[in-house]
PDB file of all heavy atoms in Angstrom:
ATOM      1  N   VAL A  92      -6.071 -13.276   4.037  1.00 85.00           N
ATOM      2  CA  VAL A  92      -5.726 -12.123   4.866  1.00 85.00           C
ATOM      3  C   VAL A  92      -5.005 -12.582   6.126  1.00 85.00           C
ATOM      4  O   VAL A  92      -4.023 -11.973   6.565  1.00 85.00           O
ATOM      5  CB  VAL A  92      -6.999 -11.299   5.210  1.00 85.00           C
ATOM      6  CG1 VAL A  92      -6.699 -10.254   6.260  1.00 85.00           C
ATOM      7  CG2 VAL A  92      -7.560 -10.659   3.961  1.00 85.00           C
ATOM      8  N   GLY A  93      -5.479 -13.679   6.711  1.00 89.00           N
ATOM      9  CA  GLY A  93      -4.823 -14.222   7.900  1.00 89.00           C
ATOM     10  C   GLY A  93      -3.404 -14.668   7.606  1.00 89.00           C
ATOM     11  O   GLY A  93      -2.485 -14.410   8.400  1.00 89.00           O
ATOM     12  N   ALA A  94      -3.199 -15.319   6.464  1.00 92.00           N
ATOM     13  CA  ALA A  94      -1.857 -15.755   6.083  1.00 92.00           C
ATOM     14  C   ALA A  94      -0.934 -14.554   5.880  1.00 92.00           C
ATOM     15  O   ALA A  94       0.220 -14.557   6.333  1.00 92.00           O
ATOM     16  CB  ALA A  94      -1.917 -16.597   4.808  1.00 92.00           C
ATOM     17  N   SER A  95      -1.445 -13.511   5.241  1.00 90.00           N
ATOM     18  CA  SER A  95      -0.645 -12.300   5.061  1.00 90.00           C
ATOM     19  C   SER A  95      -0.304 -11.666   6.401  1.00 90.00           C
ATOM     20  O   SER A  95       0.819 -11.198   6.615  1.00 90.00           O
ATOM     21  CB  SER A  95      -1.398 -11.277   4.200  1.00 90.00           C
ATOM     22  OG  SER A  95      -1.509 -11.724   2.891  1.00 90.00           O
ATOM     23  N   GLY A  96      -1.270 -11.661   7.301  1.00 87.00           N
ATOM     24  CA  GLY A  96      -1.031 -11.098   8.625  1.00 87.00           C
ATOM     25  C   GLY A  96       0.029 -11.859   9.389  1.00 87.00           C
ATOM     26  O   GLY A  96       0.901 -11.258  10.019  1.00 87.00           O
ATOM     27  N   VAL A  97      -0.034 -13.179   9.329  1.00 91.00           N
ATOM     28  CA  VAL A  97       0.958 -13.998  10.027  1.00 91.00           C
ATOM     29  C   VAL A  97       2.348 -13.758   9.434  1.00 91.00           C
ATOM     30  O   VAL A  97       3.331 -13.614  10.178  1.00 91.00           O
ATOM     31  CB  VAL A  97       0.574 -15.494   9.937  1.00 91.00           C
ATOM     32  CG1 VAL A  97       1.715 -16.391  10.366  1.00 91.00           C
ATOM     33  CG2 VAL A  97      -0.660 -15.756  10.773  1.00 91.00           C
ATOM     34  N   LEU A  98       2.432 -13.684   8.122  1.00 92.00           N
ATOM     35  CA  LEU A  98       3.734 -13.434   7.484  1.00 92.00           C
ATOM     36  C   LEU A  98       4.253 -12.039   7.822  1.00 92.00           C
ATOM     37  O   LEU A  98       5.455 -11.857   8.026  1.00 92.00           O
ATOM     38  CB  LEU A  98       3.621 -13.612   5.973  1.00 92.00           C
ATOM     39  CG  LEU A  98       3.422 -15.059   5.505  1.00 92.00           C
ATOM     40  CD1 LEU A  98       3.127 -15.093   4.011  1.00 92.00           C
ATOM     41  CD2 LEU A  98       4.637 -15.897   5.832  1.00 92.00           C
ATOM     42  N   ALA A  99       3.367 -11.058   7.897  1.00 88.00           N
ATOM     43  CA  ALA A  99       3.795  -9.694   8.247  1.00 88.00           C
ATOM     44  C   ALA A  99       4.299  -9.646   9.689  1.00 88.00           C
ATOM     45  O   ALA A  99       5.292  -8.972   9.969  1.00 88.00           O
ATOM     46  CB  ALA A  99       2.648  -8.713   8.051  1.00 88.00           C
ATOM     47  N   VAL A 100       3.635 -10.358  10.592  1.00 89.00           N
ATOM     48  CA  VAL A 100       4.084 -10.397  11.989  1.00 89.00           C
ATOM     49  C   VAL A 100       5.438 -11.100  12.085  1.00 89.00           C
ATOM     50  O   VAL A 100       6.264 -10.760  12.937  1.00 89.00           O
ATOM     51  CB  VAL A 100       3.025 -11.087  12.877  1.00 89.00           C
ATOM     52  CG1 VAL A 100       3.566 -11.417  14.248  1.00 89.00           C
ATOM     53  CG2 VAL A 100       1.792 -10.208  12.982  1.00 89.00           C
ATOM     54  N   ALA A 101       5.684 -12.056  11.190  1.00 92.00           N
ATOM     55  CA  ALA A 101       6.958 -12.783  11.174  1.00 92.00           C
ATOM     56  C   ALA A 101       8.073 -11.956  10.530  1.00 92.00           C
ATOM     57  O   ALA A 101       9.147 -12.474  10.269  1.00 92.00           O
ATOM     58  CB  ALA A 101       6.794 -14.106  10.441  1.00 92.00           C
ATOM     59  N   LYS A 102       7.802 -10.684  10.259  1.00 90.00           N
ATOM     60  CA  LYS A 102       8.790  -9.745   9.702  1.00 90.00           C
ATOM     61  C   LYS A 102       9.246 -10.108   8.293  1.00 90.00           C
ATOM     62  O   LYS A 102      10.369  -9.844   7.902  1.00 90.00           O
ATOM     63  CB  LYS A 102      10.006  -9.616  10.612  1.00 90.00           C
ATOM     64  CG  LYS A 102       9.715  -9.201  12.016  1.00 90.00           C
ATOM     65  CD  LYS A 102       9.340  -7.752  12.053  1.00 90.00           C
ATOM     66  CE  LYS A 102       9.170  -7.351  13.527  1.00 90.00           C
ATOM     67  NZ  LYS A 102       8.641  -6.064  13.673  1.00 90.00           N
ATOM     68  N   VAL A 103       8.351 -10.742   7.541  1.00 91.00           N
ATOM     69  CA  VAL A 103       8.621 -11.021   6.132  1.00 91.00           C
ATOM     70  C   VAL A 103       8.364  -9.720   5.366  1.00 91.00           C
ATOM     71  O   VAL A 103       7.489  -8.941   5.741  1.00 91.00           O
ATOM     72  CB  VAL A 103       7.669 -12.143   5.641  1.00 91.00           C
ATOM     73  CG1 VAL A 103       7.793 -12.372   4.163  1.00 91.00           C
ATOM     74  CG2 VAL A 103       7.953 -13.421   6.410  1.00 91.00           C
ATOM     75  N   PRO A 104       9.100  -9.430   4.298  1.00 91.00           N
ATOM     76  CA  PRO A 104       8.818  -8.224   3.510  1.00 91.00           C
ATOM     77  C   PRO A 104       7.352  -8.181   3.068  1.00 91.00           C
ATOM     78  O   PRO A 104       6.741  -9.217   2.785  1.00 91.00           O
ATOM     79  CB  PRO A 104       9.753  -8.348   2.306  1.00 91.00           C
ATOM     80  CG  PRO A 104      10.863  -9.214   2.780  1.00 91.00           C
ATOM     81  CD  PRO A 104      10.251 -10.160   3.778  1.00 91.00           C
ATOM     82  N   MET A 105       6.797  -6.977   3.031  1.00 87.00           N
ATOM     83  CA  MET A 105       5.365  -6.804   2.772  1.00 87.00           C
ATOM     84  C   MET A 105       4.944  -7.432   1.446  1.00 87.00           C
ATOM     85  O   MET A 105       3.883  -8.052   1.360  1.00 87.00           O
ATOM     86  CB  MET A 105       5.010  -5.312   2.799  1.00 87.00           C
ATOM     87  CG  MET A 105       3.533  -5.039   2.703  1.00 87.00           C
ATOM     88  SD  MET A 105       2.522  -5.842   3.959  1.00 87.00           S
ATOM     89  CE  MET A 105       3.082  -5.059   5.434  1.00 87.00           C
ATOM     90  N   LEU A 106       5.745  -7.294   0.419  1.00 91.00           N
ATOM     91  CA  LEU A 106       5.383  -7.869  -0.880  1.00 91.00           C
ATOM     92  C   LEU A 106       5.292  -9.389  -0.796  1.00 91.00           C
ATOM     93  O   LEU A 106       4.381  -9.997  -1.365  1.00 91.00           O
ATOM     94  CB  LEU A 106       6.409  -7.450  -1.939  1.00 91.00           C
ATOM     95  CG  LEU A 106       6.063  -7.743  -3.377  1.00 91.00           C
ATOM     96  CD1 LEU A 106       4.750  -7.082  -3.774  1.00 91.00           C
ATOM     97  CD2 LEU A 106       7.167  -7.271  -4.289  1.00 91.00           C
ATOM     98  N   VAL A 107       6.196 -10.001  -0.058  1.00 93.00           N
ATOM     99  CA  VAL A 107       6.171 -11.458   0.120  1.00 93.00           C
ATOM    100  C   VAL A 107       4.954 -11.865   0.947  1.00 93.00           C
ATOM    101  O   VAL A 107       4.312 -12.881   0.669  1.00 93.00           O
ATOM    102  CB  VAL A 107       7.487 -11.949   0.771  1.00 93.00           C
ATOM    103  CG1 VAL A 107       7.433 -13.435   1.065  1.00 93.00           C
ATOM    104  CG2 VAL A 107       8.669 -11.624  -0.115  1.00 93.00           C
ATOM    105  N   ALA A 108       4.616 -11.059   1.966  1.00 92.00           N
ATOM    106  CA  ALA A 108       3.437 -11.355   2.786  1.00 92.00           C
ATOM    107  C   ALA A 108       2.163 -11.305   1.953  1.00 92.00           C
ATOM    108  O   ALA A 108       1.293 -12.181   2.067  1.00 92.00           O
ATOM    109  CB  ALA A 108       3.359 -10.385   3.959  1.00 92.00           C
ATOM    110  N   VAL A 109       2.054 -10.309   1.108  1.00 91.00           N
ATOM    111  CA  VAL A 109       0.864 -10.197   0.244  1.00 91.00           C
ATOM    112  C   VAL A 109       0.825 -11.363  -0.734  1.00 91.00           C
ATOM    113  O   VAL A 109      -0.239 -11.971  -0.957  1.00 91.00           O
ATOM    114  CB  VAL A 109       0.857  -8.839  -0.493  1.00 91.00           C
ATOM    115  CG1 VAL A 109      -0.228  -8.796  -1.549  1.00 91.00           C
ATOM    116  CG2 VAL A 109       0.686  -7.701   0.494  1.00 91.00           C
TER     117      VAL A 109
END
Side-chain angles (χ1 to χ4, degrees):
V92 170
S95 291
V97 167
L98 290 172
V100 168
K102 303 287 185 188
V103 174
M105 187 56 65
L106 190 58
V107 175
V109 171

